[in-house]
Amino acid sequence: MELNRRDFLKGSLALGGVAALGGLAGCAAPQQTSDGQAKDAEPDKKSVPDSFTDGKWIGTAMGHDDNLLVQVTVAGGDIAGISVLRCDDTIGIGSTAAPMMAAKILEAKNLDVDTVTGATTTSMAVQSAVADAITNAGGNPKDFRLGASTPSGGTAQTADVDVAFMGAGTAGLIAATRLLEAGKTVVLFEKQDLAGGSMPMTYSGVAAAESQLQANYALGRADDNPMYNKEGMLGVMQKYLVPENDRFDGAMPYQTAMYSNSGQLVDWMHGIGVGFYSLGVNKAYGVTPYLAPGCYMGGCGYAKDFLVDRIGALGGQIVYATKVTELVQDADGRVTGLKAEGRDGSTWTVTAKAVCLTSGGFAANKDMIKEHYPQYADFKFNCAPGSTGDGIELGQKAGGAIECMGRDLGAFLSTTNQAGSNFEIAFLYQTTPGILVNASGKQFGNIMSDNHGVLGRALLDEANGGAFYYITDEAGRITTNKNELYAMDTYKCLEHRGDMVHYDSVEAAAEELGLTDLAATLETHNAHALAGEEDEFGRKKLPYLDTHDGVWVVSCIPTFYLTTGGLAIDTKGRVLNESGEAVAGLYAAGDVCGSIEEKDGRPYAMGFDAAMNYGYLMAETVKSEI
């Protein structure tokens, strides 16, 4: 039998929008949760007017993370204003898309306007919240359902620049900023309505070696820390090399180049004004620089917005909703420009001294997954929607080679869609002491030592039944809402969304979810924890799970999220052909090249760091060669 908390939460979600602002009656008295704690109540639900009524009206809908609230102003019986009051969706994706979507609806007075590409879930939440507000105002949302329109008005355009970019993701934004600072002319083409690619989705840590920022914090106290000392860091990386994939006899040239550059990358970012979280305050990662405000707190999204703004301020141009369709080459095979087509019908012909491919991987391209990773063809990838592999295909047409395809892919946990979208919970195993079990309630591996690898293999293993549950106790619920060790509250929405559910007892959870082995698994786990010994999977310092108050359960699934094969490049960012020679005029960085670690023979690890560092290195190469 479940506690009333779950029913209460469901009831809260079902309330939908609230009535017009102004003239509201007093709020209801504070309600009590099932554990007796006071909870502020929603204002009393007001009756809906008989006709579309002037005023300011609130609408609510579930977004990617949590409830999204808008305000619709009605004047003279028509919509006069729409503003987003609250959007907790991903910084740099949902936070950017929500006001864009509100403006589009207002301009057209049409709920059916195209969603903001790259942020579909948030866009649909804005549509639903505006419809909810219209209903609360006594109107009929159908009156504002005018159907989708076909974009038009595009023109033929030309440009002559020093450097043209295909894609405005992490590597593209870093490289373009560096080139503009050096006085080069730059244009970036982004097929989505938003810049950033995968950047806003990452955890904000920057694996850096020997930056001045770290030195200022450490004052000599962390010289031997592997995340501060380059040689120590590379020594750790070397332990993960897979012999059959190691082409360089342990030399690791790609990772060496990355961490030789990482300190100056951090200091450059810090110097131009990108915010970093205070080093060492996050005890879990010590001297690792974190983009402010901290781990999974939106720092990468804020940094993305900063770089986009800086590119504009320096005279660069980002052309959105425009897909690069062709790389232009001269008779000798040198890449001399590109062609692109906009969603509005516009065309671009660009002449450039260099073309940089920074368009991402192909995790969102099912056909390419089937071709290069057939073992994963039937699985969902929780990835940036722009990761369609078109940069890889154009790079190949221009003579570039591909490498490292078909190897094992890692996965991270996502919730299983209780609130309408897969919410990423990649760090739940660190913020929330607990155990991860399969469809029968058994543990299956050490997610603390090889999180992404264990999860990827677990999903492929049919013995796990294709269903997974994270089990924690009341203390785990508290640290899920706010974890002091990681200074992180990203997962506070799980309980409200209904993704984190309380059961009165282990037996109640096992009965409802079919977890026949859960009781035995918890008994064995707690015995190891009380004895202070490792479990059968080599896990150390096990958390004791106190189930006298029942258990909290997160229904989840490992999801693959990126591809690790891609274009062949050298350590300077030049695209290489099958013979290992550079394709003149063509450069690449980021996921379009696949995993930097895979090129050395180590499984994928730090794609965000690789995209930033190789964007930086690529820019230095381009500056010296054009």
Side-chain angles (χ1 to χ4, degrees):
M1 181 68 181
E2 297 176 32
L3 287 180
N4 291 334
R5 180 190 300 272
R6 185 183 189 188
D7 296 329
F8 169 77
L9 292 171
K10 283 189 173 181
S12 297
L13 290 173
L15 286 175
V18 297
L21 296 177
L24 287 177
C27 294
Q31 296 175 346
Q32 299 287 319
T33 63
S34 59
D35 57 8
Q37 296 177 347
K39 178 179 176 65
D40 291 337
E42 297 268 359
D44 291 333
K45 181 75 174 180
K46 296 290 144 182
S47 59
V48 174
D50 294 331
S51 61
F52 204 31
T53 302
D54 289 0
K56 296 193 296 187
W57 303 85
I58 306 301
T60 306
M62 179 59 70
H64 177 267
D65 290 25
D66 210 331
N67 279 346
L68 182 150
L69 289 90
V70 303
Q71 174 182 285
V72 173
T73 301
V74 180
D78 197 5
I79 295 176
I82 302 174
S83 58
V84 178
L85 300 179
R86 175 176 173 177
C87 176
D88 289 345
D89 290 356
T90 308
I91 300 297
I93 301 178
S95 67
T96 303
M100 290 173 61
M101 192 67 188
K104 291 173 69 171
I105 294 172
L106 176 61
E107 180 182 8
K109 304 291 182 68
N110 181 10
L111 289 167
D112 294 330
V113 294
D114 289 339
T115 57
V116 176
T117 56
T120 302
T121 300
T122 299
S123 298
M124 293 174 65
V126 173
Q127 290 172 318
S128 296
V130 172
D132 185 44
I134 291 170
T135 300
N136 293 333
N140 187 343
K142 291 182 179 179
D143 294 338
F144 298 93
R145 293 282 186 188
L146 308 180
S149 59
T150 302
S152 61
T155 59
Q157 302 186 62
T158 62
D160 187 354
V161 296
D162 291 323
V163 188
F165 283 81
M166 178 184 183
T170 308
L173 295 176
I174 293 285
T177 304
R178 292 287 297 169
L179 289 165
L180 287 162
E181 290 174 346
K184 306 300 182 183
T185 55
V186 168
V187 62
L188 301 94
F189 290 93
E190 172 55 54
K191 65 188 175 190
Q192 304 279 45
D193 293 327
L194 304 173
S198 300
M199 183 176 182
M201 301 166 65
T202 56
Y203 77 128
S204 295
V206 184
E210 301 168 17
S211 69
Q212 188 61 47
L213 182 69
Q214 292 169 296
N216 288 341
Y217 163 75
L219 296 177
R221 295 174 294 174
D223 290 352
D224 296 328
N225 187 310
M227 300 309 287
Y228 173 72
N229 180 280
K230 183 183 75 174
E231 296 306 319
M233 184 182 290
L234 290 171
V236 172
M237 307 307 176
Q238 198 164 40
K239 296 178 181 179
Y240 294 96
L241 290 175
V242 179
E244 58 267 30
N245 295 335
D246 178 9
R247 301 178 293 175
F248 305 106
D249 297 325
M252 304 186 301
Y254 289 90
Q255 291 172 93
T256 299
M258 181 162 77
Y259 294 118
S260 295
N261 182 73
S262 60
Q264 60 188 2
L265 168 77
V266 165
D267 289 335
W268 167 70
M269 293 178 72
H270 188 231
I272 64 175
V274 175
F276 282 87
Y277 186 71
S278 296
L279 297 171
V281 177
N282 184 332
K283 300 302 182 183
Y285 279 95
V287 296
T288 298
Y290 265 79
L291 294 170
C295 181
Y296 270 120
M297 298 292 285
C300 288
Y302 291 122
K304 182 270 292 185
D305 289 343
F306 178 94
L307 292 172
V308 168
D309 179 74
R310 189 169 180 83
I311 286 170
L314 291 170
Q317 182 181 12
I318 302 177
V319 183
Y320 293 99
T322 301
K323 181 178 180 179
V324 175
T325 57
E326 181 182 343
L327 299 182
V328 179
Q329 294 174 275
D330 64 16
D332 296 324
R334 181 181 185 85
V335 176
T336 59
L338 57 79
K339 294 184 179 180
E341 295 179 359
R343 206 177 301 135
D344 63 355
S346 61
T347 60
W348 286 78
T349 301
V350 179
T351 301
K353 297 173 184 176
V355 172
C356 296
L357 302 177
T358 51
S359 53
F362 59 95
N365 187 324
K366 291 185 177 296
D367 291 335
M368 289 185 71
I369 293 292
K370 187 174 182 180
E371 177 183 0
H372 297 294
Y373 292 89
Q375 67 272 43
Y376 301 103
D378 296 330
F379 292 99
K380 175 182 174 61
F381 281 71
N382 196 356
C383 64
S387 299
T388 54
D390 38 341
I392 295 173
E393 293 177 330
L394 290 183
Q396 286 183 274
K397 289 181 181 178
I402 57 173
E403 59 186 3
C404 303
M405 296 290 189
R407 297 179 184 174
D408 291 345
L409 296 178
F412 60 63
L413 286 179
S414 298
T415 60
T416 50
N417 219 20
Q418 291 211 40
S421 64
N422 288 120
F423 183 73
E424 304 86 356
I425 49 173
F427 268 38
L428 189 70
Y429 71 103
Q430 291 178 319
T431 66
T432 308
I435 60 173
L436 182 66
V437 301
N438 62 18
S440 66
K442 292 182 178 179
Q443 292 192 84
F444 50 81
N446 186 351
I447 62 172
M448 298 297 290
S449 65
D450 179 22
N451 178 255
H452 290 196
V454 168
L455 291 175
R457 292 187 292 273
L459 188 58
L460 292 173
D461 187 352
E462 294 181 357
N464 288 317
F468 300 83
Y469 303 89
Y470 198 86
I471 313 295
T472 190
D473 57 12
E474 185 64 20
R477 180 192 75 85
I478 293 169
T479 58
T480 301
N481 281 275
K482 177 65 185 297
N483 185 279
E484 298 299 336
L485 178 64
Y486 288 87
M488 175 179 169
D489 63 3
T490 307
Y491 302 146
K492 63 182 181 294
C493 64
L494 291 179
E495 189 178 346
H496 179 222
R497 283 165 48 98
D499 287 321
M500 190 173 196
V501 178
H502 187 266
Y503 293 86
D504 282 338
S505 65
V506 174
E507 292 74 21
E511 181 178 358
E512 178 164 330
L513 301 173
L515 305 177
T516 54
D517 297 307
L518 180 59
T521 296
L522 281 168
E523 183 178 354
T524 300
H525 169 86
N526 280 340
H528 289 307
L530 288 172
E533 60 191 16
E534 293 184 6
D535 66 8
E536 61 269 40
F537 303 107
R539 291 183 64 194
K540 303 176 182 179
K541 298 181 179 179
L542 299 175
Y544 179 83
L545 300 180
D546 191 332
T547 61
H548 79 270
D549 217 8
V551 291
W552 287 87
V553 180
V554 180
S555 177
C556 50
I557 193 77
T559 50
F560 302 108
Y561 57 98
L562 86 168
T563 46
T564 56
L567 290 172
I569 60 167
D570 63 13
T571 57
K572 302 292 187 181
R574 305 181 188 98
V575 174
L576 305 178
N577 62 22
E578 293 288 353
S579 300
E581 300 168 336
V583 178
L586 188 61
Y587 306 82
D591 286 347
V592 71
C593 308
S595 165
I596 291 302
E597 295 91 356
E598 291 279 6
K599 294 179 187 300
D600 281 341
R602 176 198 171 194
Y604 165 85
M606 297 172 180
F608 177 52
D609 308 80
M612 287 194 297
N613 277 287
Y614 272 83
Y616 189 107
L617 291 168
M618 178 181 68
E620 298 304 300
T621 304
V622 171
K623 283 193 295 185
S624 68
E625 294 185 352
I626 62 173

